[in-house]
Amino acid sequence: MHTLHRAAGLRARTVVLVEGASDRRALEAVARWGGRSLHGAAIVPMGGITNIGYFLDLLGPRGLGRNLAGLYDAAEEGYVRRGLERAGLGAALSREQLAAVGFQVCVADLEDELIRALGMAAVEQVVEAAGDLRSLRLFQRQPAQQDRPLAAQLHRFIGTRSGRKARYADLLADALPPTRVPPALDRLLARL
């Protein structure tokens, strides 16, 4: 446990649990350009939501006693609820109660939140500026993509190639105007 504690920077008083590296990068980018301090907080990617119980046990009241917060996808709310209950942080919590203890929900996932906050035209501009517009257009011509809405195509495109999801987490977060921060990120960062 000591090695993980040191390696993950968990000397921080507050630990924000996120699914993966792209979530961490997006939170850091929004905090950076929004002038919000992450001092005293560590954003820890868990390697998937199914690992939340382990991290809550390690970092929660029965472990290192850190203040906890997190970001999760709506479809995975059960994992969060069960993990918090197992860690002694509340039983049968409603979505509002989850938010009150620091765990904010993304409607589909963080990429969806960023795409909706920016809007389709702005996301396409980000893709073009990143040099990926030709790849996006080729992707959109695939039979499985042709009848899907643009938002679904963009979401899928961002997650198709290794490293693209993390790269676009930064790019989309950097493109957000301060007035368009997705509510889940805004609420989470307000707690730090």
Short mmCIF file of all heavy atoms in Angstrom, two decimals, residues 119-166:
data_model
loop_
_atom_site.label_atom_id
_atom_site.label_comp_id
_atom_site.label_asym_id
_atom_site.label_seq_id
_atom_site.Cartn_x
_atom_site.Cartn_y
_atom_site.Cartn_z
N GLY A 119 -20.73 21.40 -28.71
CA GLY A 119 -21.56 21.44 -29.90
C GLY A 119 -20.84 20.78 -31.07
O GLY A 119 -19.60 20.76 -31.13
N MET A 120 -21.61 20.26 -32.00
CA MET A 120 -21.04 19.46 -33.10
C MET A 120 -20.07 20.26 -33.97
O MET A 120 -19.01 19.78 -34.33
CB MET A 120 -22.14 18.89 -34.00
CG MET A 120 -23.18 18.02 -33.32
SD MET A 120 -22.52 16.80 -32.19
CE MET A 120 -23.22 17.42 -30.69
N ALA A 121 -20.45 21.48 -34.33
CA ALA A 121 -19.59 22.28 -35.21
C ALA A 121 -18.24 22.55 -34.56
O ALA A 121 -17.20 22.44 -35.21
CB ALA A 121 -20.29 23.59 -35.57
N ALA A 122 -18.23 22.88 -33.29
CA ALA A 122 -16.97 23.15 -32.59
C ALA A 122 -16.12 21.89 -32.48
O ALA A 122 -14.89 21.95 -32.61
CB ALA A 122 -17.25 23.74 -31.21
N VAL A 123 -16.75 20.74 -32.24
CA VAL A 123 -16.00 19.49 -32.16
C VAL A 123 -15.36 19.18 -33.52
O VAL A 123 -14.19 18.80 -33.60
CB VAL A 123 -16.88 18.32 -31.68
CG1 VAL A 123 -16.12 16.99 -31.75
CG2 VAL A 123 -17.36 18.56 -30.24
N GLU A 124 -16.11 19.39 -34.59
CA GLU A 124 -15.54 19.17 -35.92
C GLU A 124 -14.37 20.12 -36.18
O GLU A 124 -13.39 19.74 -36.82
CB GLU A 124 -16.60 19.31 -37.01
CG GLU A 124 -17.54 18.11 -37.06
CD GLU A 124 -18.46 18.13 -38.25
OE1 GLU A 124 -19.19 19.14 -38.42
OE2 GLU A 124 -18.45 17.15 -39.01
N GLN A 125 -14.44 21.33 -35.67
CA GLN A 125 -13.32 22.28 -35.81
C GLN A 125 -12.10 21.78 -35.04
O GLN A 125 -10.97 21.92 -35.51
CB GLN A 125 -13.74 23.66 -35.33
CG GLN A 125 -14.71 24.37 -36.25
CD GLN A 125 -15.24 25.66 -35.65
OE1 GLN A 125 -15.02 25.97 -34.48
NE2 GLN A 125 -15.98 26.42 -36.47
N VAL A 126 -12.34 21.20 -33.87
CA VAL A 126 -11.23 20.64 -33.09
C VAL A 126 -10.60 19.47 -33.85
O VAL A 126 -9.38 19.36 -33.93
CB VAL A 126 -11.72 20.19 -31.68
CG1 VAL A 126 -10.67 19.36 -30.97
CG2 VAL A 126 -12.13 21.40 -30.85
N VAL A 127 -11.44 18.62 -34.43
CA VAL A 127 -10.95 17.47 -35.20
C VAL A 127 -10.13 17.97 -36.39
O VAL A 127 -9.04 17.45 -36.68
CB VAL A 127 -12.12 16.58 -35.66
CG1 VAL A 127 -11.66 15.52 -36.67
CG2 VAL A 127 -12.79 15.91 -34.46
N GLU A 128 -10.63 19.00 -37.06
CA GLU A 128 -9.90 19.57 -38.21
C GLU A 128 -8.57 20.16 -37.77
O GLU A 128 -7.53 19.91 -38.41
CB GLU A 128 -10.75 20.63 -38.90
CG GLU A 128 -10.10 21.22 -40.14
CD GLU A 128 -10.99 22.19 -40.89
OE1 GLU A 128 -11.99 22.67 -40.31
OE2 GLU A 128 -10.68 22.45 -42.06
N ALA A 129 -8.56 20.92 -36.69
CA ALA A 129 -7.32 21.53 -36.19
C ALA A 129 -6.31 20.47 -35.77
O ALA A 129 -5.10 20.69 -35.88
CB ALA A 129 -7.63 22.47 -35.02
N ALA A 130 -6.80 19.31 -35.33
CA ALA A 130 -5.91 18.22 -34.92
C ALA A 130 -5.39 17.42 -36.11
O ALA A 130 -4.58 16.51 -35.95
CB ALA A 130 -6.64 17.30 -33.95
N GLY A 131 -5.88 17.76 -37.32
CA GLY A 131 -5.42 17.06 -38.52
C GLY A 131 -6.13 15.75 -38.78
O GLY A 131 -5.64 14.92 -39.55
N ASP A 132 -7.28 15.55 -38.14
CA ASP A 132 -8.01 14.28 -38.26
C ASP A 132 -9.30 14.36 -39.05
O ASP A 132 -10.08 13.41 -39.06
CB ASP A 132 -8.33 13.73 -36.86
CG ASP A 132 -7.11 13.20 -36.13
OD1 ASP A 132 -6.14 12.80 -36.80
OD2 ASP A 132 -7.14 13.18 -34.88
N LEU A 133 -9.56 15.49 -39.72
CA LEU A 133 -10.83 15.64 -40.41
C LEU A 133 -10.98 14.61 -41.53
O LEU A 133 -12.06 14.02 -41.69
CB LEU A 133 -11.00 17.06 -40.96
CG LEU A 133 -12.40 17.39 -41.48
CD1 LEU A 133 -13.45 17.20 -40.39
CD2 LEU A 133 -12.44 18.81 -42.02
N ARG A 134 -9.94 14.35 -42.28
CA ARG A 134 -10.01 13.35 -43.35
C ARG A 134 -10.35 11.97 -42.77
O ARG A 134 -11.19 11.25 -43.29
CB ARG A 134 -8.69 13.29 -44.13
CG ARG A 134 -8.72 12.32 -45.28
CD ARG A 134 -7.39 12.38 -46.09
NE ARG A 134 -7.42 11.47 -47.19
CZ ARG A 134 -7.11 10.17 -47.11
NH1 ARG A 134 -6.77 9.64 -45.95
NH2 ARG A 134 -7.15 9.41 -48.19
N SER A 135 -9.70 11.62 -41.67
CA SER A 135 -9.99 10.34 -41.02
C SER A 135 -11.43 10.27 -40.53
O SER A 135 -12.08 9.23 -40.65
CB SER A 135 -9.04 10.11 -39.83
OG SER A 135 -7.72 9.96 -40.26
N LEU A 136 -11.93 11.39 -39.99
CA LEU A 136 -13.32 11.43 -39.55
C LEU A 136 -14.26 11.20 -40.73
O LEU A 136 -15.21 10.43 -40.62
CB LEU A 136 -13.64 12.76 -38.86
CG LEU A 136 -15.12 12.98 -38.51
CD1 LEU A 136 -15.62 11.93 -37.52
CD2 LEU A 136 -15.34 14.39 -37.97
N ARG A 137 -14.00 11.88 -41.83
CA ARG A 137 -14.88 11.74 -43.00
C ARG A 137 -14.86 10.31 -43.54
O ARG A 137 -15.91 9.78 -43.91
CB ARG A 137 -14.49 12.73 -44.10
CG ARG A 137 -14.65 14.19 -43.70
CD ARG A 137 -16.08 14.55 -43.36
NE ARG A 137 -16.18 15.96 -43.04
CZ ARG A 137 -16.73 16.44 -41.94
NH1 ARG A 137 -17.27 15.63 -41.05
NH2 ARG A 137 -16.78 17.74 -41.72
N LEU A 138 -13.70 9.66 -43.55
CA LEU A 138 -13.62 8.26 -43.96
C LEU A 138 -14.41 7.37 -42.99
O LEU A 138 -15.12 6.46 -43.41
CB LEU A 138 -12.16 7.80 -44.04
CG LEU A 138 -11.34 8.37 -45.19
CD1 LEU A 138 -9.87 8.03 -45.01
CD2 LEU A 138 -11.86 7.87 -46.52
N PHE A 139 -14.27 7.64 -41.73
CA PHE A 139 -14.98 6.90 -40.69
C PHE A 139 -16.50 7.05 -40.88
O PHE A 139 -17.25 6.08 -40.77
CB PHE A 139 -14.55 7.42 -39.31
CG PHE A 139 -15.29 6.82 -38.16
CD1 PHE A 139 -14.97 5.56 -37.69
CD2 PHE A 139 -16.31 7.52 -37.53
CE1 PHE A 139 -15.66 5.00 -36.63
CE2 PHE A 139 -17.00 6.98 -36.47
CZ PHE A 139 -16.67 5.72 -36.01
N GLN A 140 -16.95 8.24 -41.17
CA GLN A 140 -18.39 8.50 -41.35
C GLN A 140 -18.96 7.77 -42.55
O GLN A 140 -20.16 7.52 -42.61
CB GLN A 140 -18.64 10.01 -41.48
CG GLN A 140 -18.43 10.75 -40.19
CD GLN A 140 -18.52 12.25 -40.36
OE1 GLN A 140 -17.93 12.83 -41.29
NE2 GLN A 140 -19.26 12.90 -39.47
N ARG A 141 -18.13 7.41 -43.51
CA ARG A 141 -18.61 6.69 -44.70
C ARG A 141 -18.77 5.20 -44.46
O ARG A 141 -19.34 4.50 -45.30
CB ARG A 141 -17.64 6.92 -45.86
CG ARG A 141 -17.72 8.31 -46.43
CD ARG A 141 -16.89 8.44 -47.70
NE ARG A 141 -16.48 9.81 -47.83
CZ ARG A 141 -15.23 10.24 -47.97
NH1 ARG A 141 -14.23 9.39 -48.05
NH2 ARG A 141 -14.98 11.52 -48.07
N GLN A 142 -18.26 4.70 -43.35
CA GLN A 142 -18.40 3.28 -43.07
C GLN A 142 -19.89 2.95 -42.91
O GLN A 142 -20.65 3.74 -42.33
CB GLN A 142 -17.66 2.90 -41.79
CG GLN A 142 -16.17 3.02 -41.90
CD GLN A 142 -15.48 2.71 -40.58
OE1 GLN A 142 -16.10 2.37 -39.58
NE2 GLN A 142 -14.16 2.84 -40.58
N PRO A 143 -20.33 1.80 -43.45
CA PRO A 143 -21.75 1.44 -43.40
C PRO A 143 -22.35 1.52 -41.99
O PRO A 143 -23.48 1.98 -41.82
CB PRO A 143 -21.78 0.01 -43.94
CG PRO A 143 -20.58 -0.06 -44.83
CD PRO A 143 -19.54 0.81 -44.19
N ALA A 144 -21.60 1.10 -40.98
CA ALA A 144 -22.13 1.10 -39.61
C ALA A 144 -22.33 2.51 -39.07
O ALA A 144 -23.06 2.71 -38.09
CB ALA A 144 -21.21 0.33 -38.69
N GLN A 145 -21.70 3.51 -39.68
CA GLN A 145 -21.77 4.88 -39.18
C GLN A 145 -22.74 5.77 -39.95
O GLN A 145 -23.18 6.80 -39.44
CB GLN A 145 -20.37 5.52 -39.22
CG GLN A 145 -19.35 4.80 -38.37
CD GLN A 145 -19.76 4.71 -36.91
OE1 GLN A 145 -20.33 5.64 -36.34
NE2 GLN A 145 -19.50 3.57 -36.30
N GLN A 146 -23.06 5.40 -41.16
CA GLN A 146 -23.80 6.29 -42.05
C GLN A 146 -25.14 6.77 -41.51
O GLN A 146 -25.52 7.91 -41.74
CB GLN A 146 -23.98 5.63 -43.42
CG GLN A 146 -22.67 5.53 -44.18
CD GLN A 146 -22.82 4.82 -45.50
OE1 GLN A 146 -23.90 4.39 -45.88
NE2 GLN A 146 -21.71 4.69 -46.22
N ASP A 147 -25.87 5.96 -40.80
CA ASP A 147 -27.19 6.35 -40.32
C ASP A 147 -27.19 6.84 -38.87
O ASP A 147 -28.25 7.13 -38.32
CB ASP A 147 -28.17 5.17 -40.47
CG ASP A 147 -28.44 4.83 -41.93
OD1 ASP A 147 -28.40 5.75 -42.77
OD2 ASP A 147 -28.69 3.64 -42.22
N ARG A 148 -26.02 6.92 -38.29
CA ARG A 148 -25.95 7.37 -36.89
C ARG A 148 -25.92 8.89 -36.84
O ARG A 148 -25.39 9.56 -37.73
CB ARG A 148 -24.68 6.82 -36.25
CG ARG A 148 -24.70 5.30 -36.16
CD ARG A 148 -23.48 4.76 -35.51
NE ARG A 148 -23.62 4.94 -34.07
CZ ARG A 148 -22.61 4.87 -33.22
NH1 ARG A 148 -21.39 4.64 -33.65
NH2 ARG A 148 -22.79 5.04 -31.94
N PRO A 149 -26.45 9.49 -35.77
CA PRO A 149 -26.38 10.95 -35.60
C PRO A 149 -24.91 11.39 -35.49
O PRO A 149 -24.04 10.63 -35.06
CB PRO A 149 -27.12 11.20 -34.29
CG PRO A 149 -27.81 9.94 -33.95
CD PRO A 149 -27.16 8.83 -34.69
N LEU A 150 -24.66 12.64 -35.85
CA LEU A 150 -23.31 13.18 -35.83
C LEU A 150 -22.67 13.06 -34.45
O LEU A 150 -21.49 12.70 -34.33
CB LEU A 150 -23.30 14.64 -36.30
CG LEU A 150 -21.95 15.35 -36.31
CD1 LEU A 150 -20.93 14.59 -37.16
CD2 LEU A 150 -22.11 16.79 -36.78
N ALA A 151 -23.41 13.33 -33.40
CA ALA A 151 -22.85 13.23 -32.05
C ALA A 151 -22.36 11.81 -31.77
O ALA A 151 -21.28 11.62 -31.18
CB ALA A 151 -23.88 13.65 -31.01
N ALA A 152 -23.11 10.81 -32.18
CA ALA A 152 -22.71 9.42 -31.98
C ALA A 152 -21.48 9.08 -32.82
O ALA A 152 -20.59 8.35 -32.37
CB ALA A 152 -23.87 8.48 -32.32
N GLN A 153 -21.42 9.60 -34.04
CA GLN A 153 -20.25 9.37 -34.89
C GLN A 153 -19.00 9.98 -34.26
O GLN A 153 -17.95 9.34 -34.21
CB GLN A 153 -20.47 9.98 -36.28
CG GLN A 153 -21.49 9.28 -37.12
CD GLN A 153 -21.77 10.04 -38.41
OE1 GLN A 153 -21.47 11.23 -38.55
NE2 GLN A 153 -22.35 9.33 -39.38
N LEU A 154 -19.12 11.22 -33.78
CA LEU A 154 -17.97 11.89 -33.16
C LEU A 154 -17.52 11.14 -31.91
O LEU A 154 -16.32 10.94 -31.70
CB LEU A 154 -18.32 13.33 -32.83
CG LEU A 154 -18.50 14.27 -34.02
CD1 LEU A 154 -19.15 15.58 -33.59
CD2 LEU A 154 -17.17 14.51 -34.73
N HIS A 155 -18.46 10.73 -31.11
CA HIS A 155 -18.16 9.99 -29.88
C HIS A 155 -17.41 8.70 -30.21
O HIS A 155 -16.39 8.38 -29.59
CB HIS A 155 -19.46 9.70 -29.12
CG HIS A 155 -19.25 9.07 -27.80
ND1 HIS A 155 -19.23 7.71 -27.63
CD2 HIS A 155 -19.02 9.62 -26.57
CE1 HIS A 155 -19.02 7.44 -26.36
NE2 HIS A 155 -18.90 8.58 -25.70
N ARG A 156 -17.91 7.96 -31.17
CA ARG A 156 -17.28 6.69 -31.56
C ARG A 156 -15.90 6.94 -32.18
O ARG A 156 -14.95 6.22 -31.90
CB ARG A 156 -18.19 5.93 -32.52
CG ARG A 156 -17.64 4.60 -32.94
CD ARG A 156 -17.67 3.61 -31.78
NE ARG A 156 -17.03 2.38 -32.19
CZ ARG A 156 -16.01 1.81 -31.56
NH1 ARG A 156 -15.56 2.32 -30.45
NH2 ARG A 156 -15.48 0.71 -32.02
N PHE A 157 -15.79 7.96 -33.03
CA PHE A 157 -14.52 8.28 -33.68
C PHE A 157 -13.44 8.57 -32.65
O PHE A 157 -12.31 8.10 -32.76
CB PHE A 157 -14.70 9.49 -34.62
CG PHE A 157 -13.43 9.97 -35.25
CD1 PHE A 157 -12.86 9.27 -36.30
CD2 PHE A 157 -12.80 11.11 -34.79
CE1 PHE A 157 -11.67 9.70 -36.88
CE2 PHE A 157 -11.62 11.55 -35.37
CZ PHE A 157 -11.06 10.84 -36.42
N ILE A 158 -13.78 9.32 -31.63
CA ILE A 158 -12.81 9.69 -30.59
C ILE A 158 -12.30 8.45 -29.86
O ILE A 158 -11.15 8.40 -29.46
CB ILE A 158 -13.44 10.72 -29.63
CG1 ILE A 158 -13.56 12.07 -30.34
CG2 ILE A 158 -12.63 10.84 -28.34
CD1 ILE A 158 -14.38 13.09 -29.60
N GLY A 159 -13.13 7.42 -29.75
CA GLY A 159 -12.72 6.22 -29.02
C GLY A 159 -12.18 5.09 -29.87
O GLY A 159 -11.93 4.00 -29.35
N THR A 160 -11.97 5.32 -31.19
CA THR A 160 -11.60 4.20 -32.06
C THR A 160 -10.13 3.83 -32.09
O THR A 160 -9.80 2.69 -32.32
CB THR A 160 -12.04 4.45 -33.52
OG1 THR A 160 -11.46 5.66 -33.97
CG2 THR A 160 -13.54 4.47 -33.65
N ARG A 161 -9.25 4.75 -31.92
CA ARG A 161 -7.81 4.47 -32.08
C ARG A 161 -7.10 4.65 -30.74
O ARG A 161 -7.40 5.59 -29.99
CB ARG A 161 -7.23 5.43 -33.12
CG ARG A 161 -5.77 5.14 -33.40
CD ARG A 161 -5.21 5.95 -34.51
NE ARG A 161 -5.84 5.52 -35.76
CZ ARG A 161 -5.92 6.28 -36.83
NH1 ARG A 161 -5.43 7.50 -36.82
NH2 ARG A 161 -6.47 5.83 -37.92
N SER A 162 -6.14 3.79 -30.49
CA SER A 162 -5.38 3.87 -29.25
C SER A 162 -4.76 5.25 -29.08
O SER A 162 -4.13 5.77 -30.00
CB SER A 162 -4.28 2.80 -29.25
OG SER A 162 -3.51 2.90 -28.09
N GLY A 163 -4.97 5.84 -27.93
CA GLY A 163 -4.41 7.15 -27.62
C GLY A 163 -5.28 8.32 -28.04
O GLY A 163 -5.08 9.43 -27.57
N ARG A 164 -6.23 8.08 -28.93
CA ARG A 164 -7.06 9.19 -29.42
C ARG A 164 -7.97 9.74 -28.32
O ARG A 164 -8.18 10.94 -28.22
CB ARG A 164 -7.89 8.74 -30.62
CG ARG A 164 -8.63 9.89 -31.28
CD ARG A 164 -9.46 9.45 -32.45
NE ARG A 164 -8.63 9.26 -33.63
CZ ARG A 164 -8.99 8.55 -34.68
NH1 ARG A 164 -10.16 7.94 -34.70
NH2 ARG A 164 -8.20 8.43 -35.72
N LYS A 165 -8.50 8.86 -27.50
CA LYS A 165 -9.42 9.30 -26.45
C LYS A 165 -8.73 10.27 -25.48
O LYS A 165 -9.27 11.32 -25.16
CB LYS A 165 -9.95 8.07 -25.71
CG LYS A 165 -11.10 8.33 -24.81
CD LYS A 165 -11.64 7.00 -24.28
CE LYS A 165 -12.79 7.22 -23.35
NZ LYS A 165 -13.35 5.99 -22.83
N ALA A 166 -7.52 9.92 -25.06
CA ALA A 166 -6.77 10.80 -24.15
C ALA A 166 -6.38 12.10 -24.85
O ALA A 166 -6.46 13.18 -24.25
CB ALA A 166 -5.53 10.08 -23.63
#
